[in-house]
Amino acid sequence: ALLHILQIASKTGATLSELGHNDTASGVLSCAAKYEEALRNIDDTSGTNQQARACVTAVYLSTRMEAAWREGNEGLAAFMADKVTENDGRLVLLSNHDRETLATKLLDIGKSLLRSCYQDNKLTPEESKANEAIRWMQKAFSVIEPLDCTANAGLAELKRSVLRSLARGYFLSSSQDPENLIRAETALEEVIATIDSSVDNVSSEYQQLRWMKLAVIKRRKAGDTVLLQALQAIIDNLTYSESNLTDVLQELRTLSQHHQLVTSTIQYCLHRALQCSWSPDAVERLLISLIFHCSKDDKHDRAIQDLHASFKELRDVEFELLKAPATACITLLWQYGDRHYHAGRWNEAADWFTCGTHSIFTSLGPVSSSKCFRKAALAHLKQKDYAHAGSIIRRCPDTEATTQYVKFLIAVYQAINTIRNMVHAVNFDRKMILLACRLAHDLDMKNLLLNVLKALLETLNLRENVGNSTEAMTLVRCIIRLIVKLLGEPAADLCVFVANRLVAALLHHLNIAVTIAESCEQPAMLSRDVSWLWRTAYNCAIQACSDWEDREDQISDIFDAARRLLELYTLHATVDVDQAIYIYLVNASFASASGRVMSFRRLRSQTESIDVRQDPLSKPSTDLFQSGKYRDLFNNINQSLQRISKVLREEKVSQEDLPRLESSLQILRVFIVEAASHLSDWTTVLATIEEPSRSDRDSLETYEAFADALWEDKNCPIHVLFTALEATLHACLARGHFSLEKFARWLRAMCIILLTRATGGDRSKAIGYVDQAIACILAHLLIRKLYPLDERQWLLSTAYNTGLECLHASMVDEAKRWFECSTIICRFVPDGRQRAEKISTTYSDLLARYPTR
């Protein structure tokens, strides 16, 4: 009877709980507890009802557990779960069906706890619930584990479900207990072991288990071997589709730090695609991914070997790349080869270009492979590996003009290299060089001739005798003449690299010429050579000023070389030096200094604009323009100024040329002020400001440039700026004709500085400048040029306010002068009569208040 009553109570409570009547179900099951206790206390010595008692008790406890869970009483539910699962004697008596039902209930509660750990696919703060869910699922597994699942498909599926849920729980709780990652991997391996032999092992559900295993071993930071095995298991059971392949490639992006692992995985996936006859699009996509990935390998040789291995596999199965994917692959190979080429890694570039010659790209035709061979040959040519370059270019068809051109380049460079080796050989004879020089000249091979001449120059020992110096100077002249011709050819204009190389060679040999002339014991013997050299350098620099862009430094270097040669010519000339020579010397020196200033300004402007674009709120960087660089520029300008000053002192030029020289000096002084202000060398700035006053020519323009430069410098001391403004104002008054707008602006700045100092002498000086402004207004009224209106109004308000301040300070005489000035200025502003009357009235009233002394 007790068995029957407890069974009815369990069924009733379960039905009420399923219908949502949790309170009623809880009451029924609580009342039935006394029957469960009575049944437990009855002695069944014969054991005939032992299995029935175990079954009814388990059903009751599990029903009460389920009802308590639905009611929200988690503590009671956990207590009932412990009671039903911890009694091994009772569990042994249960049938397979009863144990399966009990495990299902335990698993459902564990799953519900696991689901509560997620909100919009994100973990909630209650991560501890994952551990609680694990405990429920562990109980479910302990109930079902002893059973033989081979003959019962439903039981086997339940066991797999428990293990899957356990793995998820372990994974979620691994942040609290890292050991749970190993448990999760063990659970997944047990599930996967039961399905890999089944017919449904490629279903999406089971594939998710393999992805979960990969996530687990990634989180526990397993080695590359374990990761590769997990990825291979996914690929082995992958049903090809574009989305599935995308999932694999996206997963590999997250493993980019494991470079060789990603390479092996892509190669394995490519092998699988060929083996299982996946779509050609899949193979092409994997090949492009492999090329892209290998380009990031820091070990170049390994990357090229990986590519060749995959290319060989494609060739072995006779896979044909269509034109579009083959073009994409070739484009990538060229792109990575060009990247190495421009970085100066010639061997690496050649290897990437050579990859494009593989037979799998035959769909593009021989034109593509020939281009790859030519690119590789040029890379070896840059590496000066002429033999290798020659062997590669011989693999191209001889019918192509570009191939013949590359062969020509290789031959030329081989000839140049042979000439250099011949010079350093033991039994070298200079006649051999002369024969090579004649051959190059006859064939009009300027580059070869240039290198032959350089090699011939290297053979001369300049210290042996004067004859060698003469020969060396002749060779230098020939080399420079040839370089100038090459600079005038179209190729020099089209190729920046060629032009830079030629300019560097020109400067190098000009310096060699200077060295030869300086070291020669009889410099008069080289006078004609030096004369030709300075004229050539000077004319080349003049031409470069109009033809070259953004090369101010190189042009300045050429002018500087011309200036050094001019100095040597004037020093050792065998006849009287013409005055025009000194004009050229001054021009070269001035142009050199000016070019360096222009280059300096441009580079500084570019650097500051880059800094502002990167961070508009940051202060522009001055790392490139530190005081050392400013000091070098200052010294260069100062040396040029001293040279020109020396020519003037020694009266080397005619009176007609003096204005031009003095104009150059004034411009150099402006440059010196600019450089010195950046160095905060204000003593030099003040000394330079005083120098133009000794000359009447162009002093106003010079002072204006001083004032503009110092006005823009926020660090300029007030007394330095005032000195510059005062000198400018005096120059304006001395000149007699000037810009009224600039005059008014400078006068206002000077008056503000003087009135800010607030001393008697400064105020007297300021009112003197106001008088000058009034005189200027009156003088320009006659020629109908108006003083700026805003400046007139400023003069009026400043004079009036300063007069008030002086009156309040009992300086009546000074106040009277200021009020008189303001009254005069009223004549030149709108409503001047009314303002003058107001000023007069105010002045009289205030004067009455303050007794005169």
Side-chain angles (χ1 to χ4, degrees):
L2 286 174
L3 290 172
H4 187 62
I5 292 171
L6 193 57
Q7 191 175 21
I8 292 173
S10 298
K11 289 182 177 180
T12 304
T15 302
L16 290 169
S17 178
E18 290 175 359
L19 294 173
H21 304 299
N22 295 321
D23 293 340
T24 308
S26 178
V28 171
L29 292 172
S30 297
C31 292
K34 58 185 177 182
Y35 298 109
E36 187 271 333
E37 184 179 2
L39 184 62
R40 187 173 65 249
N41 293 330
I42 293 176
D43 292 332
D44 184 11
T45 55
S46 62
T48 54
N49 296 317
Q50 188 175 9
Q51 186 172 6
R53 286 173 61 186
C55 179
V56 170
T57 302
V59 169
Y60 167 75
L61 293 173
S62 63
T63 301
R64 194 169 183 189
M65 171 193 73
E66 194 174 21
W69 178 259
R70 287 174 178 167
E71 189 182 7
N73 192 344
E74 297 180 7
L76 179 60
F79 177 72
M80 291 299 166
D82 291 338
K83 288 188 69 175
V84 74
T85 56
E86 290 177 356
N87 191 331
D88 294 335
R90 185 191 299 128
L91 289 176
V92 171
L93 297 174
L94 296 179
S95 65
N96 286 357
H97 176 72
D98 291 335
R99 295 182 75 144
E100 183 178 350
T101 303
L102 176 59
T104 301
K105 291 181 178 181
L106 292 165
L107 177 61
D108 289 341
I109 294 175
K111 282 183 175 181
S112 65
L113 278 168
L114 207 57
R115 282 192 294 272
S116 68
C117 292
Y118 285 98
Q119 287 182 354
D120 299 328
N121 294 328
K122 294 182 180 179
L123 280 175
T124 66
E126 299 180 5
E127 195 173 314
S128 59
K129 284 190 175 181
N131 290 322
E132 190 176 344
I134 289 172
R135 286 193 289 271
W136 283 94
M137 289 183 285
Q138 284 174 336
K139 293 180 187 297
F141 186 73
S142 67
V143 171
I144 203 174
E145 183 183 17
L147 303 181
D148 184 10
C149 303
T150 55
N152 190 333
L155 198 60
E157 180 58 33
L158 177 61
K159 187 174 182 180
R160 285 197 289 268
S161 180
V162 172
L163 287 171
R164 281 198 301 269
S165 300
L166 263 175
R168 291 191 182 95
Y170 285 136
F171 183 76
L172 290 176
S173 62
S174 61
S175 59
Q176 294 180 344
D177 185 3
E179 293 295 326
N180 280 348
L181 288 173
I182 299 176
R183 299 186 183 101
E185 186 177 355
T186 304
L188 287 170
E189 287 176 349
E190 189 170 347
V191 178
I192 293 171
T194 63
I195 63 172
D196 277 348
S197 59
S198 68
V199 295
D200 198 25
N201 62 343
V202 295
S203 69
S204 60
E205 180 182 359
Y206 295 140
Q207 191 71 337
Q208 286 299 322
L209 293 175
R210 299 182 184 95
W211 281 109
M212 187 185 299
K213 180 181 177 182
L214 177 62
V216 169
I217 61 179
K218 275 177 62 179
R219 180 172 287 189
R220 75 176 180 85
K221 299 180 180 179
D224 286 0
T225 303
V226 178
L227 285 168
L228 181 61
Q229 291 172 352
L231 287 164
Q232 288 176 341
I234 292 172
I235 295 169
D236 287 338
N237 295 282
L238 185 70
T239 302
Y240 171 71
S241 68
E242 189 174 345
S243 61
N244 287 342
L245 182 58
T246 300
D247 291 340
V248 173
L249 294 176
Q250 286 181 343
E251 182 65 29
L252 292 179
R253 288 182 184 177
T254 66
L255 296 167
S256 58
Q257 67 274 20
H258 303 273
H259 188 89
Q260 196 56 33
L261 167 66
V262 176
T263 303
S264 301
T265 304
I266 296 177
Q267 288 178 323
Y268 186 82
C269 197
L270 186 62
H271 171 76
R272 185 74 178 172
L274 295 171
Q275 190 180 47
C276 300
S277 300
W278 286 3
S279 165
D281 292 340
V283 177
E284 294 159 359
R285 189 176 175 188
L286 286 167
L287 185 59
I288 291 174
S289 298
L290 180 64
I291 294 173
F292 178 76
H293 176 70
C294 287
S295 70
K296 298 181 178 179
D297 196 344
D298 54 356
K299 296 182 179 179
H300 169 75
D301 294 337
R302 182 177 65 184
I304 299 299
Q305 289 174 3
D306 292 335
L307 284 178
H308 281 300
S310 297
F311 291 170
K312 181 178 181 299
E313 186 173 8
L314 289 173
R315 183 193 61 194
D316 292 343
V317 299
E318 298 180 354
F319 183 86
E320 293 185 2
L321 277 174
L322 299 178
K323 281 190 175 182
T327 302
C329 293
I330 286 290
T331 302
L332 285 177
L333 293 172
W334 287 352
Q335 178 182 334
Y336 302 138
D338 288 337
R339 185 183 300 169
H340 287 290
Y341 187 91
H342 294 305
R345 297 186 288 269
W346 317 117
N347 285 331
E348 289 83 348
D351 289 339
W352 278 98
F353 292 138
T354 306
C355 286
T357 65
H358 201 277
S359 59
I360 64 172
F361 302 115
T362 52
S363 60
L364 297 177
V367 174
S368 174
S369 60
S370 294
K371 189 172 182 179
C372 291
F373 280 130
R374 286 194 296 270
K375 283 177 170 285
L378 288 172
H380 286 299
L381 185 63
K382 296 293 290 184
Q383 185 67 26
K384 299 182 180 179
D385 188 356
Y386 307 119
H388 202 169
S391 65
I392 287 178
I393 199 62
R394 283 193 291 272
R395 298 171 67 180
C396 295
D398 291 334
T399 56
E400 297 174 341
T402 49
T403 299
Q404 295 299 329
Y405 176 72
V406 174
K407 284 185 176 180
F408 168 74
L409 281 180
I410 294 172
V412 168
Y413 279 100
Q414 281 181 318
I416 293 170
N417 189 55
T418 304
I419 291 292
R420 289 173 180 167
N421 293 336
M422 182 173 63
V423 168
H424 294 96
V426 177
N427 57 347
F428 166 69
D429 188 348
R430 197 180 298 173
K431 293 180 180 179
M432 300 176 183
I433 286 287
L434 295 176
L435 289 173
C437 184
R438 175 174 294 180
L439 176 63
H441 183 270
D442 292 342
L443 296 176
D444 195 24
M445 299 172 67
K446 293 186 179 66
N447 280 302
L448 177 59
L449 180 59
L450 179 61
N451 284 278
V452 170
L453 292 172
K454 289 180 181 178
L456 187 58
L457 181 62
E458 290 178 6
T459 65
L460 294 174
N461 186 349
L462 304 183
R463 296 185 180 180
E464 286 181 359
N465 51 51
V466 176
N468 273 5
S469 297
T470 306
E471 291 178 5
M473 188 65 85
T474 304
L475 281 173
V476 169
R477 285 182 58 178
C478 294
I479 291 170
I480 290 175
R481 181 185 287 112
L482 194 54
I483 292 173
V484 172
K485 284 184 179 179
L486 289 170
L487 279 170
E489 292 183 351
D493 295 331
L494 295 175
C495 182
V496 176
F497 173 76
V498 171
N500 288 336
R501 184 170 56 82
L502 289 173
V503 172
L506 175 63
L507 288 169
H508 175 68
H509 287 89
L510 285 172
N511 290 328
I512 289 177
V514 172
T515 303
I516 294 172
E518 289 176 343
S519 61
C520 182
E521 296 179 357
Q522 299 179 19
M525 297 283 294
L526 305 177
S527 180
R528 291 182 61 186
D529 297 308
V530 173
S531 176
W532 181 91
L533 284 166
W534 79 254
R535 295 175 194 277
T536 302
Y538 187 89
N539 291 333
C540 182
I542 292 294
Q543 186 65 34
C545 289
S546 58
D547 294 345
W548 298 355
E549 292 183 2
D550 299 335
R551 294 187 184 176
E552 296 91 347
D553 280 334
Q554 292 176 328
I555 296 173
S556 296
D557 289 337
I558 298 174
F559 271 122
D560 206 43
R563 188 264 311 164
R564 293 171 65 192
L565 289 165
L566 273 162
E567 289 177 341
L568 286 170
Y569 179 75
T570 58
L571 186 63
H572 303 295
T574 56
V575 295
D576 292 339
V577 178
D578 188 55
Q579 289 183 340
I581 298 296
Y582 292 99
I583 297 298
Y584 290 125
L585 194 153
V586 168
N587 290 344
S589 184
F590 174 74
S592 174
S594 300
R596 298 189 195 283
V597 172
M598 297 304 114
S599 174
F600 202 80
R601 287 176 178 173
R602 177 174 56 81
L603 291 175
R604 184 180 61 193
S605 176
Q606 290 174 352
T607 304
E608 291 176 354
S609 63
I610 290 172
D611 290 341
V612 170
R613 282 199 302 271
Q614 290 175 348
D615 186 0
L617 300 180
S618 67
K619 184 179 180 181
S621 172
T622 57
D623 292 341
L624 182 62
F625 301 99
Q626 295 175 349
S627 59
K629 293 184 179 294
Y630 276 116
R631 179 60 63 184
D632 292 340
L633 179 64
F634 173 82
N635 292 336
N636 190 284
I637 300 168
N638 192 45
Q639 289 169 6
S640 179
L641 188 143
Q642 297 303 324
R643 292 189 197 101
I644 299 174
S645 299
K646 181 181 178 182
V647 171
L648 285 174
R649 284 196 309 270
E650 295 177 355
E651 298 181 352
K652 297 290 187 180
V653 295
S654 64
Q655 291 295 322
E656 296 176 354
D657 295 319
L658 283 178
R660 190 192 312 170
L661 271 64
E662 290 175 353
S663 177
S664 298
L665 284 177
Q666 303 289 34
I667 294 172
L668 289 176
R669 290 190 182 107
V670 174
F671 293 159
I672 283 181
V673 166
E674 181 181 346
S677 63
H678 283 292
L679 292 168
S680 298
D681 187 358
W682 306 114
T683 303
T684 300
V685 171
L686 288 172
T688 307
I689 290 172
E690 295 174 359
E691 288 182 9
S693 61
R694 302 167 191 166
S695 172
D696 293 335
R697 293 185 176 93
D698 301 326
S699 59
L700 175 58
E701 289 75 8
T702 306
Y703 282 124
E704 286 185 11
F706 289 163
D708 289 337
L710 297 175
W711 188 277
E712 295 296 328
D713 192 339
K714 305 301 181 183
N715 299 319
C716 179
I718 295 297
H719 72 281
V720 177
L721 178 60
F722 181 82
T723 302
L725 291 173
E726 188 174 37
T728 306
L729 208 64
H730 289 167
C732 287
L733 296 172
R735 175 70 68 87
H737 56 89
F738 45 82
S739 168
L740 279 176
E741 288 75 12
K742 288 185 177 181
F743 179 86
R745 185 187 67 180
W746 295 328
L747 188 139
R748 180 200 280 212
M750 292 175 59
C751 289
I752 290 173
I753 294 171
L754 290 169
L755 293 174
T756 303
R757 294 175 179 172
T759 65
D762 290 326
R763 280 195 302 274
S764 299
K765 212 170 187 180
I767 200 168
Y769 283 120
V770 173
D771 288 336
Q772 290 284 357
I774 294 171
C776 184
I777 294 172
L778 290 169
H780 284 81
L781 279 176
L782 300 175
I783 57 175
R784 297 187 178 181
K785 285 187 178 180
L786 296 179
Y787 201 87
L789 178 60
D790 58 332
E791 296 295 338
R792 282 178 272 158
Q793 291 177 335
W794 180 85
L795 285 170
L796 174 60
S797 61
T798 300
Y800 178 72
N801 292 330
T802 308
L804 289 177
E805 291 175 4
C806 291
L807 202 56
H808 288 308
S810 299
M811 293 181 287
V812 179
D813 292 338
E814 284 191 38
K816 182 180 178 182
R817 288 191 63 192
W818 284 107
F819 279 119
E820 288 173 353
C821 288
S822 63
T823 304
I824 296 171
I825 297 169
C826 285
R827 293 161 52 190
F828 311 112
V829 297
D831 301 326
R833 187 184 296 274
Q834 292 86 341
R835 295 190 181 194
E837 292 175 357
K838 183 179 178 182
I839 292 172
S840 180
T841 304
T842 304
Y843 176 58
S844 300
D845 292 342
L846 289 173
L847 200 58
R849 297 182 190 178
Y850 297 95
T852 59
R853 297 179 182 177

